[in-house]
Structures are given as structure tokens and as C-alpha cells.
PDB file of all heavy atoms in Angstrom:
ATOM      1  N   SER A 285      -4.239   7.723   4.889  1.00 95.00           N
ATOM      2  CA  SER A 285      -3.719   7.263   3.602  1.00 95.00           C
ATOM      3  C   SER A 285      -4.242   5.910   3.147  1.00 95.00           C
ATOM      4  O   SER A 285      -4.217   5.598   1.957  1.00 95.00           O
ATOM      5  CB  SER A 285      -2.189   7.203   3.660  1.00 95.00           C
ATOM      6  OG  SER A 285      -1.775   6.184   4.564  1.00 95.00           O
ATOM      7  N   GLY A 286      -4.662   5.069   4.079  1.00 92.00           N
ATOM      8  CA  GLY A 286      -5.044   3.698   3.714  1.00 92.00           C
ATOM      9  C   GLY A 286      -3.851   2.774   3.664  1.00 92.00           C
ATOM     10  O   GLY A 286      -3.998   1.567   3.489  1.00 92.00           O
ATOM     11  N   ASP A 287      -2.637   3.325   3.835  1.00 92.00           N
ATOM     12  CA  ASP A 287      -1.425   2.508   3.896  1.00 92.00           C
ATOM     13  C   ASP A 287      -1.168   2.088   5.333  1.00 92.00           C
ATOM     14  O   ASP A 287      -1.365   2.868   6.269  1.00 92.00           O
ATOM     15  CB  ASP A 287      -0.217   3.290   3.375  1.00 92.00           C
ATOM     16  CG  ASP A 287      -0.241   3.449   1.869  1.00 92.00           C
ATOM     17  OD1 ASP A 287      -0.599   2.479   1.180  1.00 92.00           O
ATOM     18  OD2 ASP A 287       0.080   4.547   1.377  1.00 92.00           O
ATOM     19  N   ILE A 288      -0.710   0.866   5.496  1.00 89.00           N
ATOM     20  CA  ILE A 288      -0.363   0.341   6.811  1.00 89.00           C
ATOM     21  C   ILE A 288       1.153   0.380   6.977  1.00 89.00           C
ATOM     22  O   ILE A 288       1.894   0.021   6.058  1.00 89.00           O
ATOM     23  CB  ILE A 288      -0.868  -1.108   6.976  1.00 89.00           C
ATOM     24  CG1 ILE A 288      -2.394  -1.158   6.857  1.00 89.00           C
ATOM     25  CG2 ILE A 288      -0.435  -1.694   8.319  1.00 89.00           C
ATOM     26  CD1 ILE A 288      -3.126  -0.405   7.930  1.00 89.00           C
ATOM     27  N   GLY A 289       1.613   0.820   8.137  1.00 92.00           N
ATOM     28  CA  GLY A 289       3.050   0.883   8.364  1.00 92.00           C
ATOM     29  C   GLY A 289       3.371   1.267   9.786  1.00 92.00           C
ATOM     30  O   GLY A 289       2.504   1.282  10.669  1.00 92.00           O
ATOM     31  N   TYR A 290       4.627   1.639  10.017  1.00 96.00           N
ATOM     32  CA  TYR A 290       5.058   2.037  11.355  1.00 96.00           C
ATOM     33  C   TYR A 290       6.216   3.024  11.271  1.00 96.00           C
ATOM     34  O   TYR A 290       6.868   3.167  10.232  1.00 96.00           O
ATOM     35  CB  TYR A 290       5.467   0.813  12.181  1.00 96.00           C
ATOM     36  CG  TYR A 290       6.666   0.055  11.651  1.00 96.00           C
ATOM     37  CD1 TYR A 290       7.961   0.393  12.057  1.00 96.00           C
ATOM     38  CD2 TYR A 290       6.512  -0.994  10.744  1.00 96.00           C
ATOM     39  CE1 TYR A 290       9.066  -0.291  11.566  1.00 96.00           C
ATOM     40  CE2 TYR A 290       7.608  -1.691  10.257  1.00 96.00           C
ATOM     41  CZ  TYR A 290       8.882  -1.328  10.671  1.00 96.00           C
ATOM     42  OH  TYR A 290       9.976  -1.998  10.178  1.00 96.00           O
ATOM     43  N   LEU A 291       6.455   3.715  12.374  1.00 97.00           N
ATOM     44  CA  LEU A 291       7.594   4.612  12.520  1.00 97.00           C
ATOM     45  C   LEU A 291       8.613   3.936  13.430  1.00 97.00           C
ATOM     46  O   LEU A 291       8.238   3.386  14.469  1.00 97.00           O
ATOM     47  CB  LEU A 291       7.165   5.936  13.166  1.00 97.00           C
ATOM     48  CG  LEU A 291       6.356   6.917  12.312  1.00 97.00           C
ATOM     49  CD1 LEU A 291       5.727   7.981  13.198  1.00 97.00           C
ATOM     50  CD2 LEU A 291       7.240   7.572  11.269  1.00 97.00           C
ATOM     51  N   ASP A 292       9.888   3.951  13.034  1.00 97.00           N
ATOM     52  CA  ASP A 292      10.895   3.390  13.939  1.00 97.00           C
ATOM     53  C   ASP A 292      11.339   4.463  14.934  1.00 97.00           C
ATOM     54  O   ASP A 292      10.839   5.591  14.918  1.00 97.00           O
ATOM     55  CB  ASP A 292      12.070   2.784  13.168  1.00 97.00           C
ATOM     56  CG  ASP A 292      12.959   3.825  12.491  1.00 97.00           C
ATOM     57  OD1 ASP A 292      12.722   5.038  12.667  1.00 97.00           O
ATOM     58  OD2 ASP A 292      13.886   3.430  11.768  1.00 97.00           O
ATOM     59  N   SER A 293      12.269   4.132  15.806  1.00 95.00           N
ATOM     60  CA  SER A 293      12.694   5.053  16.860  1.00 95.00           C
ATOM     61  C   SER A 293      13.400   6.295  16.316  1.00 95.00           C
ATOM     62  O   SER A 293      13.508   7.301  17.014  1.00 95.00           O
ATOM     63  CB  SER A 293      13.616   4.325  17.844  1.00 95.00           C
ATOM     64  OG  SER A 293      14.722   3.753  17.147  1.00 95.00           O
ATOM     65  N   ASP A 294      13.874   6.233  15.057  1.00 96.00           N
ATOM     66  CA  ASP A 294      14.541   7.385  14.430  1.00 96.00           C
ATOM     67  C   ASP A 294      13.591   8.239  13.605  1.00 96.00           C
ATOM     68  O   ASP A 294      14.012   9.217  12.974  1.00 96.00           O
ATOM     69  CB  ASP A 294      15.692   6.908  13.528  1.00 96.00           C
ATOM     70  CG  ASP A 294      16.789   6.215  14.308  1.00 96.00           C
ATOM     71  OD1 ASP A 294      17.077   6.653  15.439  1.00 96.00           O
ATOM     72  OD2 ASP A 294      17.353   5.232  13.788  1.00 96.00           O
ATOM     73  N   GLY A 295      12.312   7.843  13.557  1.00 97.00           N
ATOM     74  CA  GLY A 295      11.339   8.614  12.794  1.00 97.00           C
ATOM     75  C   GLY A 295      11.226   8.228  11.339  1.00 97.00           C
ATOM     76  O   GLY A 295      10.576   8.924  10.552  1.00 97.00           O
ATOM     77  N   TYR A 296      11.842   7.105  10.943  1.00 98.00           N
ATOM     78  CA  TYR A 296      11.734   6.615   9.567  1.00 98.00           C
ATOM     79  C   TYR A 296      10.413   5.859   9.394  1.00 98.00           C
ATOM     80  O   TYR A 296       9.990   5.115  10.287  1.00 98.00           O
ATOM     81  CB  TYR A 296      12.896   5.686   9.226  1.00 98.00           C
ATOM     82  CG  TYR A 296      14.202   6.384   8.951  1.00 98.00           C
ATOM     83  CD1 TYR A 296      14.946   6.954   9.981  1.00 98.00           C
ATOM     84  CD2 TYR A 296      14.701   6.490   7.652  1.00 98.00           C
ATOM     85  CE1 TYR A 296      16.138   7.604   9.729  1.00 98.00           C
ATOM     86  CE2 TYR A 296      15.907   7.143   7.400  1.00 98.00           C
ATOM     87  CZ  TYR A 296      16.626   7.694   8.445  1.00 98.00           C
ATOM     88  OH  TYR A 296      17.807   8.338   8.198  1.00 98.00           O
ATOM     89  N   VAL A 297       9.783   6.067   8.243  1.00 98.00           N
ATOM     90  CA  VAL A 297       8.498   5.419   7.944  1.00 98.00           C
ATOM     91  C   VAL A 297       8.747   4.117   7.189  1.00 98.00           C
ATOM     92  O   VAL A 297       9.504   4.086   6.217  1.00 98.00           O
ATOM     93  CB  VAL A 297       7.598   6.345   7.104  1.00 98.00           C
ATOM     94  CG1 VAL A 297       6.268   5.649   6.780  1.00 98.00           C
ATOM     95  CG2 VAL A 297       7.347   7.660   7.828  1.00 98.00           C
ATOM     96  N   PHE A 298       8.078   3.062   7.639  1.00 96.00           N
ATOM     97  CA  PHE A 298       8.116   1.770   6.957  1.00 96.00           C
ATOM     98  C   PHE A 298       6.690   1.399   6.580  1.00 96.00           C
ATOM     99  O   PHE A 298       5.788   1.443   7.422  1.00 96.00           O
ATOM    100  CB  PHE A 298       8.705   0.681   7.858  1.00 96.00           C
ATOM    101  CG  PHE A 298      10.185   0.809   8.093  1.00 96.00           C
ATOM    102  CD1 PHE A 298      10.678   1.736   9.005  1.00 96.00           C
ATOM    103  CD2 PHE A 298      11.088   0.021   7.389  1.00 96.00           C
ATOM    104  CE1 PHE A 298      12.040   1.874   9.222  1.00 96.00           C
ATOM    105  CE2 PHE A 298      12.458   0.152   7.591  1.00 96.00           C
ATOM    106  CZ  PHE A 298      12.931   1.080   8.521  1.00 96.00           C
ATOM    107  N   ILE A 299       6.474   1.059   5.306  1.00 93.00           N
ATOM    108  CA  ILE A 299       5.136   0.676   4.830  1.00 93.00           C
ATOM    109  C   ILE A 299       5.076  -0.839   4.690  1.00 93.00           C
ATOM    110  O   ILE A 299       5.942  -1.449   4.064  1.00 93.00           O
ATOM    111  CB  ILE A 299       4.817   1.352   3.480  1.00 93.00           C
ATOM    112  CG1 ILE A 299       4.828   2.873   3.658  1.00 93.00           C
ATOM    113  CG2 ILE A 299       3.460   0.896   2.946  1.00 93.00           C
ATOM    114  CD1 ILE A 299       4.699   3.640   2.368  1.00 93.00           C
ATOM    115  N   THR A 300       4.057  -1.423   5.269  1.00 85.00           N
ATOM    116  CA  THR A 300       3.942  -2.892   5.281  1.00 85.00           C
ATOM    117  C   THR A 300       2.747  -3.425   4.494  1.00 85.00           C
ATOM    118  O   THR A 300       2.667  -4.619   4.231  1.00 85.00           O
ATOM    119  CB  THR A 300       3.859  -3.396   6.731  1.00 85.00           C
ATOM    120  OG1 THR A 300       2.756  -2.754   7.402  1.00 85.00           O
ATOM    121  CG2 THR A 300       5.142  -3.083   7.494  1.00 85.00           C
ATOM    122  N   GLY A 301       1.808  -2.567   4.113  1.00 80.00           N
ATOM    123  CA  GLY A 301       0.654  -3.065   3.353  1.00 80.00           C
ATOM    124  C   GLY A 301      -0.374  -1.978   3.107  1.00 80.00           C
ATOM    125  O   GLY A 301      -0.130  -0.795   3.344  1.00 80.00           O
ATOM    126  N   ARG A 302      -1.540  -2.400   2.609  1.00 79.00           N
ATOM    127  CA  ARG A 302      -2.637  -1.484   2.310  1.00 79.00           C
ATOM    128  C   ARG A 302      -3.859  -1.875   3.103  1.00 79.00           C
ATOM    129  O   ARG A 302      -4.193  -3.044   3.236  1.00 79.00           O
ATOM    130  CB  ARG A 302      -2.988  -1.530   0.818  1.00 79.00           C
ATOM    131  CG  ARG A 302      -2.122  -0.692  -0.071  1.00 79.00           C
ATOM    132  CD  ARG A 302      -2.347   0.790   0.089  1.00 79.00           C
ATOM    133  NE  ARG A 302      -3.662   1.250  -0.353  1.00 79.00           N
ATOM    134  CZ  ARG A 302      -4.091   2.488  -0.206  1.00 79.00           C
ATOM    135  NH1 ARG A 302      -3.359   3.381   0.407  1.00 79.00           N
ATOM    136  NH2 ARG A 302      -5.276   2.841  -0.643  1.00 79.00           N
ATOM    137  N   LEU A 303      -4.529  -0.847   3.636  1.00 79.00           N
ATOM    138  CA  LEU A 303      -5.773  -1.095   4.353  1.00 79.00           C
ATOM    139  C   LEU A 303      -6.843  -1.557   3.376  1.00 79.00           C
ATOM    140  O   LEU A 303      -7.617  -2.467   3.642  1.00 79.00           O
ATOM    141  CB  LEU A 303      -6.217   0.188   5.066  1.00 79.00           C
ATOM    142  CG  LEU A 303      -7.288   0.062   6.138  1.00 79.00           C
ATOM    143  CD1 LEU A 303      -6.804  -0.831   7.273  1.00 79.00           C
ATOM    144  CD2 LEU A 303      -7.646   1.442   6.689  1.00 79.00           C
ATOM    145  N   LYS A 304      -6.864  -0.933   2.205  1.00 69.00           N
ATOM    146  CA  LYS A 304      -7.791  -1.344   1.153  1.00 69.00           C
ATOM    147  C   LYS A 304      -7.114  -2.374   0.269  1.00 69.00           C
ATOM    148  O   LYS A 304      -5.892  -2.422   0.185  1.00 69.00           O
ATOM    149  CB  LYS A 304      -8.210  -0.129   0.309  1.00 69.00           C
ATOM    150  CG  LYS A 304      -8.971   0.923   1.091  1.00 69.00           C
ATOM    151  CD  LYS A 304      -9.293   2.104   0.188  1.00 69.00           C
ATOM    152  CE  LYS A 304     -10.039   3.193   0.946  1.00 69.00           C
ATOM    153  NZ  LYS A 304     -10.329   4.364   0.081  1.00 69.00           N
ATOM    154  N   GLU A 305      -7.881  -3.156  -0.375  1.00 63.00           N
ATOM    155  CA  GLU A 305      -7.319  -4.192  -1.241  1.00 63.00           C
ATOM    156  C   GLU A 305      -7.004  -3.609  -2.613  1.00 63.00           C
ATOM    157  O   GLU A 305      -7.844  -3.592  -3.516  1.00 63.00           O
ATOM    158  CB  GLU A 305      -8.298  -5.361  -1.372  1.00 63.00           C
ATOM    159  CG  GLU A 305      -8.482  -6.117  -0.075  1.00 63.00           C
ATOM    160  CD  GLU A 305      -9.422  -7.292  -0.226  1.00 63.00           C
ATOM    161  OE1 GLU A 305     -10.058  -7.423  -1.280  1.00 63.00           O
ATOM    162  OE2 GLU A 305      -9.532  -8.069   0.720  1.00 63.00           O
ATOM    163  N   VAL A 306      -5.788  -3.123  -2.745  1.00 63.00           N
ATOM    164  CA  VAL A 306      -5.327  -2.631  -4.038  1.00 63.00           C
ATOM    165  C   VAL A 306      -3.967  -3.250  -4.303  1.00 63.00           C
ATOM    166  O   VAL A 306      -3.143  -3.369  -3.409  1.00 63.00           O
ATOM    167  CB  VAL A 306      -5.241  -1.087  -4.075  1.00 63.00           C
ATOM    168  CG1 VAL A 306      -4.326  -0.569  -2.992  1.00 63.00           C
ATOM    169  CG2 VAL A 306      -4.780  -0.587  -5.436  1.00 63.00           C
ATOM    170  N   ILE A 307      -3.754  -3.698  -5.536  1.00 72.00           N
ATOM    171  CA  ILE A 307      -2.496  -4.337  -5.911  1.00 72.00           C
ATOM    172  C   ILE A 307      -1.661  -3.308  -6.681  1.00 72.00           C
ATOM    173  O   ILE A 307      -2.088  -2.801  -7.709  1.00 72.00           O
ATOM    174  CB  ILE A 307      -2.747  -5.579  -6.792  1.00 72.00           C
ATOM    175  CG1 ILE A 307      -3.626  -6.596  -6.040  1.00 72.00           C
ATOM    176  CG2 ILE A 307      -1.422  -6.232  -7.199  1.00 72.00           C
ATOM    177  CD1 ILE A 307      -4.215  -7.680  -6.931  1.00 72.00           C
ATOM    178  N   VAL A 308      -0.485  -2.971  -6.141  1.00 68.00           N
ATOM    179  CA  VAL A 308       0.413  -2.016  -6.783  1.00 68.00           C
ATOM    180  C   VAL A 308       1.546  -2.780  -7.445  1.00 68.00           C
ATOM    181  O   VAL A 308       2.328  -3.456  -6.779  1.00 68.00           O
ATOM    182  CB  VAL A 308       0.992  -1.008  -5.768  1.00 68.00           C
ATOM    183  CG1 VAL A 308       1.862   0.017  -6.480  1.00 68.00           C
ATOM    184  CG2 VAL A 308      -0.137  -0.306  -5.025  1.00 68.00           C
ATOM    185  N   LEU A 309       1.615  -2.710  -8.784  1.00 74.00           N
ATOM    186  CA  LEU A 309       2.691  -3.382  -9.508  1.00 74.00           C
ATOM    187  C   LEU A 309       4.001  -2.634  -9.304  1.00 74.00           C
ATOM    188  O   LEU A 309       4.021  -1.485  -8.888  1.00 74.00           O
ATOM    189  CB  LEU A 309       2.355  -3.457 -11.000  1.00 74.00           C
ATOM    190  CG  LEU A 309       1.032  -4.139 -11.376  1.00 74.00           C
ATOM    191  CD1 LEU A 309       0.916  -4.228 -12.890  1.00 74.00           C
ATOM    192  CD2 LEU A 309       0.931  -5.527 -10.774  1.00 74.00           C
ATOM    193  N   SER A 310       5.108  -3.284  -9.607  1.00 71.00           N
ATOM    194  CA  SER A 310       6.414  -2.663  -9.414  1.00 71.00           C
ATOM    195  C   SER A 310       6.619  -1.456 -10.335  1.00 71.00           C
ATOM    196  O   SER A 310       7.505  -0.647 -10.128  1.00 71.00           O
ATOM    197  CB  SER A 310       7.535  -3.686  -9.651  1.00 71.00           C
ATOM    198  OG  SER A 310       7.468  -4.194 -10.959  1.00 71.00           O
ATOM    199  N   SER A 311       5.779  -1.335 -11.366  1.00 71.00           N
ATOM    200  CA  SER A 311       5.843  -0.177 -12.267  1.00 71.00           C
ATOM    201  C   SER A 311       5.131   1.046 -11.687  1.00 71.00           C
ATOM    202  O   SER A 311       5.194   2.127 -12.239  1.00 71.00           O
ATOM    203  CB  SER A 311       5.194  -0.537 -13.612  1.00 71.00           C
ATOM    204  OG  SER A 311       3.816  -0.820 -13.421  1.00 71.00           O
ATOM    205  N   GLY A 312       4.437   0.831 -10.553  1.00 67.00           N
ATOM    206  CA  GLY A 312       3.673   1.915  -9.960  1.00 67.00           C
ATOM    207  C   GLY A 312       2.203   1.898 -10.354  1.00 67.00           C
ATOM    208  O   GLY A 312       1.404   2.675  -9.852  1.00 67.00           O
ATOM    209  N   LYS A 313       1.832   0.999 -11.254  1.00 70.00           N
ATOM    210  CA  LYS A 313       0.453   0.881 -11.728  1.00 70.00           C
ATOM    211  C   LYS A 313      -0.430   0.273 -10.637  1.00 70.00           C
ATOM    212  O   LYS A 313      -0.079  -0.734 -10.032  1.00 70.00           O
ATOM    213  CB  LYS A 313       0.411  -0.011 -12.979  1.00 70.00           C
ATOM    214  CG  LYS A 313      -0.971  -0.256 -13.547  1.00 70.00           C
ATOM    215  CD  LYS A 313      -1.492   0.936 -14.305  1.00 70.00           C
ATOM    216  CE  LYS A 313      -2.803   0.627 -15.021  1.00 70.00           C
ATOM    217  NZ  LYS A 313      -3.326   1.792 -15.730  1.00 70.00           N
ATOM    218  N   ASN A 314      -1.574   0.907 -10.364  1.00 59.00           N
ATOM    219  CA  ASN A 314      -2.530   0.390  -9.385  1.00 59.00           C
ATOM    220  C   ASN A 314      -3.537  -0.536 -10.048  1.00 59.00           C
ATOM    221  O   ASN A 314      -4.147  -0.177 -11.062  1.00 59.00           O
ATOM    222  CB  ASN A 314      -3.284   1.540  -8.708  1.00 59.00           C
ATOM    223  CG  ASN A 314      -2.410   2.320  -7.761  1.00 59.00           C
ATOM    224  OD1 ASN A 314      -1.335   1.853  -7.393  1.00 59.00           O
ATOM    225  ND2 ASN A 314      -2.855   3.492  -7.365  1.00 59.00           N
ATOM    226  N   ILE A 315      -3.690  -1.728  -9.483  1.00 68.00           N
ATOM    227  CA  ILE A 315      -4.696  -2.671  -9.967  1.00 68.00           C
ATOM    228  C   ILE A 315      -5.772  -2.800  -8.902  1.00 68.00           C
ATOM    229  O   ILE A 315      -5.487  -3.206  -7.774  1.00 68.00           O
ATOM    230  CB  ILE A 315      -4.079  -4.067 -10.255  1.00 68.00           C
ATOM    231  CG1 ILE A 315      -2.938  -3.951 -11.275  1.00 68.00           C
ATOM    232  CG2 ILE A 315      -5.154  -5.037 -10.746  1.00 68.00           C
ATOM    233  CD1 ILE A 315      -3.358  -3.466 -12.635  1.00 68.00           C
ATOM    234  N   TYR A 316      -6.999  -2.431  -9.251  1.00 60.00           N
ATOM    235  CA  TYR A 316      -8.097  -2.497  -8.302  1.00 60.00           C
ATOM    236  C   TYR A 316      -8.886  -3.780  -8.553  1.00 60.00           C
ATOM    237  O   TYR A 316      -9.576  -3.913  -9.571  1.00 60.00           O
ATOM    238  CB  TYR A 316      -8.998  -1.264  -8.452  1.00 60.00           C
ATOM    239  CG  TYR A 316      -8.277  -0.004  -8.095  1.00 60.00           C
ATOM    240  CD1 TYR A 316      -7.507   0.660  -9.046  1.00 60.00           C
ATOM    241  CD2 TYR A 316      -8.306   0.499  -6.808  1.00 60.00           C
ATOM    242  CE1 TYR A 316      -6.797   1.813  -8.714  1.00 60.00           C
ATOM    243  CE2 TYR A 316      -7.606   1.641  -6.469  1.00 60.00           C
ATOM    244  CZ  TYR A 316      -6.851   2.291  -7.426  1.00 60.00           C
ATOM    245  OH  TYR A 316      -6.157   3.425  -7.092  1.00 60.00           O
ATOM    246  N   PRO A 317      -8.770  -4.760  -7.634  1.00 70.00           N
ATOM    247  CA  PRO A 317      -9.400  -6.072  -7.830  1.00 70.00           C
ATOM    248  C   PRO A 317     -10.877  -5.999  -8.178  1.00 70.00           C
ATOM    249  O   PRO A 317     -11.355  -6.746  -9.019  1.00 70.00           O
ATOM    250  CB  PRO A 317      -9.188  -6.766  -6.476  1.00 70.00           C
ATOM    251  CG  PRO A 317      -7.964  -6.138  -5.919  1.00 70.00           C
ATOM    252  CD  PRO A 317      -8.019  -4.700  -6.360  1.00 70.00           C
ATOM    253  N   GLU A 318     -11.603  -5.077  -7.533  1.00 62.00           N
ATOM    254  CA  GLU A 318     -13.040  -4.981  -7.770  1.00 62.00           C
ATOM    255  C   GLU A 318     -13.349  -4.666  -9.236  1.00 62.00           C
ATOM    256  O   GLU A 318     -14.281  -5.222  -9.813  1.00 62.00           O
ATOM    257  CB  GLU A 318     -13.646  -3.903  -6.861  1.00 62.00           C
ATOM    258  CG  GLU A 318     -15.167  -3.833  -6.952  1.00 62.00           C
ATOM    259  CD  GLU A 318     -15.741  -2.782  -6.015  1.00 62.00           C
ATOM    260  OE1 GLU A 318     -14.983  -2.249  -5.190  1.00 62.00           O
ATOM    261  OE2 GLU A 318     -16.941  -2.502  -6.128  1.00 62.00           O
ATOM    262  N   GLU A 319     -12.532  -3.775  -9.827  1.00 66.00           N
ATOM    263  CA  GLU A 319     -12.768  -3.408 -11.216  1.00 66.00           C
ATOM    264  C   GLU A 319     -12.449  -4.569 -12.154  1.00 66.00           C
ATOM    265  O   GLU A 319     -13.148  -4.787 -13.148  1.00 66.00           O
ATOM    266  CB  GLU A 319     -11.932  -2.180 -11.570  1.00 66.00           C
ATOM    267  CG  GLU A 319     -12.365  -0.924 -10.825  1.00 66.00           C
ATOM    268  CD  GLU A 319     -11.619   0.312 -11.276  1.00 66.00           C
ATOM    269  OE1 GLU A 319     -10.690   0.174 -12.095  1.00 66.00           O
ATOM    270  OE2 GLU A 319     -11.978   1.412 -10.827  1.00 66.00           O
ATOM    271  N   VAL A 320     -11.397  -5.327 -11.844  1.00 77.00           N
ATOM    272  CA  VAL A 320     -11.042  -6.494 -12.665  1.00 77.00           C
ATOM    273  C   VAL A 320     -12.126  -7.560 -12.539  1.00 77.00           C
ATOM    274  O   VAL A 320     -12.531  -8.197 -13.519  1.00 77.00           O
ATOM    275  CB  VAL A 320      -9.671  -7.062 -12.234  1.00 77.00           C
ATOM    276  CG1 VAL A 320      -9.320  -8.297 -13.064  1.00 77.00           C
ATOM    277  CG2 VAL A 320      -8.579  -6.007 -12.393  1.00 77.00           C
ATOM    278  N   GLU A 321     -12.615  -7.749 -11.306  1.00 74.00           N
ATOM    279  CA  GLU A 321     -13.665  -8.752 -11.059  1.00 74.00           C
ATOM    280  C   GLU A 321     -14.937  -8.447 -11.851  1.00 74.00           C
ATOM    281  O   GLU A 321     -15.595  -9.357 -12.379  1.00 74.00           O
ATOM    282  CB  GLU A 321     -13.975  -8.807  -9.563  1.00 74.00           C
ATOM    283  CG  GLU A 321     -12.863  -9.463  -8.749  1.00 74.00           C
ATOM    284  CD  GLU A 321     -13.021  -9.261  -7.259  1.00 74.00           C
ATOM    285  OE1 GLU A 321     -14.041  -8.672  -6.839  1.00 74.00           O
ATOM    286  OE2 GLU A 321     -12.127  -9.686  -6.519  1.00 74.00           O
TER     287      GLU A 321
END
């Protein structure tokens, strides 16, 4: 997926970041730094 995260002992998924540099706004909009640059 390119998402960084972990599974807890109960099998719940926690997402902590992105492997690729993409900025996700709270609206769900993806901002790709390379394209803005």
C-alpha cells in the first residue's frame, strides 16, 4: 500500500505515515509534492 503502520495484539490496524511523500488533507484530497514543485 505504501502506508506505514502496525497491527496491535487484537488485530487492529494503526496507520502512522506514508512510505511515499504524499500529503493527504483532512478532506481526503491528495497533494503530491512533486507535481506542486
Side-chain angles (χ1 to χ4, degrees):
S285 67
D287 287 319
I288 299 296
Y290 64 90
L291 287 166
D292 71 4
S293 56
D294 296 323
Y296 283 73
V297 179
F298 289 78
I299 299 173
T300 56
R302 278 289 293 175
L303 195 61
K304 297 178 181 179
E305 293 182 351
V306 58
I307 301 165
V308 183
L309 304 185
S310 60
S311 64
K313 178 76 173 179
N314 289 345
I315 303 297
Y316 295 86
E318 186 179 351
E319 293 185 354
V320 178
E321 288 168 4

